[in-house]
Every structure is written in structure tokens, then in C-alpha cells.
Amino acid sequence: MMQRVGFYPGSFDPITNGHLDIIHRALALVDRLVIGVGAHHSKSGLFSPSERLSLLKSCAEAEGNQGQIDLVTFDGLVVDAMRDHGARIMIRGLRDTTDYNYEMQMAGMNTTMAEDTQVVFLPASPSVRHIAASLVRQIAVLGGDITPFVPGNVAVAVATKIKERT
Ligand code: ADP
């Protein structure tokens, strides 16, 4: 039988408990999950793509069985990255209507470009639905406690990064 390969793209700057929830749910649907860190340049970013990838590695791999998760960076179109990795199922998380409107638009454009792609939206679990990586970055810069929102080693890495920058 054909393997179901999912592709979960995102910025993951940094990986949060919300992303981990989606990864956990996605693994119940696909045989193999490729997690793609978008390497697009972003001024408000905290970690470089390779730093984001290694933080993901430290948290995400424990979610799947041996070999079930692949971690990659990509810097063009998501549909091209998916094709390169043999994935036809795109996984995205939905928190609220803002996500919904944006994600519907992206799904429409992406599936027009790659008609053999299925986009699967997974609803955020209630316990993590409020978490956004952009707010985690802001809270950390302002000296707030981010430990309720990210894995412990990520909180440590964020604190170290912010200290380095200032
Ligand atoms: P992007 O820049 O692509 O939006 P993010 O890293 O912010 O990258 O998010 C990647 C994906 O994870 C998106 O589908 C987003 O909706 C989803 N996501 C982010 N935070 C959460 C959360 N707390 N719960 C569920 N899904 C989430």
C-alpha cells in the first residue's frame, strides 16, 4: 500500500506546545511526517532556520516512532518542498477564525498550484489553542515567563538567545 506522507510547514520560531499538539495529532493520520521549517527571511525572527530545526529535533522526534518523522528546512514554495519530499498531504493547525480565513486562502492557492495535494486542517486542542509563537517571542523579550507555552529546553534556549542579543 502507498505510504501516506504528510508535510507540516511552519516558521516554528520557536516550536511551541501548540505545534507539538498538531504534530502528535498528525502522526495519527500519516505513516510519515515531514516537518518543514520555512527559511524565509523574517525581521522579527528570533532563531535562524538551523537553530529552529535543532530545537524541533529535540522536541518532536520523541512524538513519533523511529523514522516516522523527518525534519527539513525549505525556502521556496511549500508545494515544491512537498513534491521534493514525496508528500501529498499538507497539515495545518487551526486556532480561530483568523487562522481559518488565512488558511483557506492558502489552501485554495496551494491546491490550485498542486492539484494532487490534500490540505488537512487539525483543530488546536483547547489547552494550547491560545499559544502563538509570535506572542511567545514578545513575552520573552519583555521578560515574561514562557514556560507554560513551550517545552522546557525551548524556554532555556529562548532566554539564552535573548541574553545574547542584548
Ligand atoms: P506560519 O508562519 O506558517 O504560520 P507557524 O510556526 O506560526 O508558521 O505555524 C505553523 C502552523 O502551526 C500553522 O498551521 C499554525 O496554524 C499552526 N499552529 C501554530 N500555533 C498553533 C497552536 N497553538 N495550536 C494549533 N496550531 C497551531
Side-chain angles (χ1 to χ4, degrees):
M1 212 185 79
M2 206 175 75
Q3 255 211 341
R4 286 180 196 278
V5 184
F7 190 85
Y8 178 34
S11 309
F12 305 106
D13 187 23
I15 180 161
T16 68
N17 294 339
H19 295 133
L20 282 172
D21 173 57
I22 296 297
I23 291 167
H24 183 75
R25 287 164 181 279
L27 287 169
L29 300 175
V30 298
D31 301 307
R32 195 159 68 82
L33 184 66
V34 183
I35 308 176
V37 177
H40 307 283
H41 182 74
S42 153
K43 270 195 201 144
S44 60
L46 191 59
F47 292 104
S48 70
S50 65
E51 290 170 331
R52 289 182 252 148
L53 194 76
S54 55
L55 281 177
L56 257 168
K57 208 177 204 111
S58 66
C59 311
E61 277 181 342
E63 293 283 332
N65 299 324
Q66 191 73 25
Q68 208 189 357
I69 295 181
D70 267 340
L71 294 153
V72 301
T73 57
F74 69 97
D75 73 15
L77 294 170
V78 173
V79 289
D80 288 340
M82 288 183 67
R83 203 171 286 132
D84 291 347
H85 294 285
R88 291 188 181 169
I89 303 168
M90 189 189 308
I91 305 285
R92 296 289 286 175
L94 282 189
R95 285 164 291 192
D96 51 26
T97 55
T98 308
D99 274 356
Y100 174 82
N101 289 327
Y102 175 69
E103 295 294 342
M104 277 302 284
Q105 191 174 19
M106 293 291 283
M109 303 207 53
N110 280 324
T111 53
T112 301
M113 290 189 284
E115 283 174 3
D116 55 354
T117 295
Q118 307 300 327
V119 179
V120 175
F121 295 145
L122 297 176
S125 296
S127 60
V128 296
R129 148 172 201 198
H130 51 283
I131 301 174
S134 58
L135 292 177
V136 165
R137 294 196 298 274
Q138 282 185 37
I139 291 168
V141 167
L142 298 173
D145 178 16
I146 59 167
T147 55
F149 313 126
V150 297
N153 65 315
V154 174
V156 171
V158 169
T160 307
K161 186 64 159 187
I162 287 171
K163 220 175 278 161
E164 272 170 22
R165 290 203 322 183
T166 47

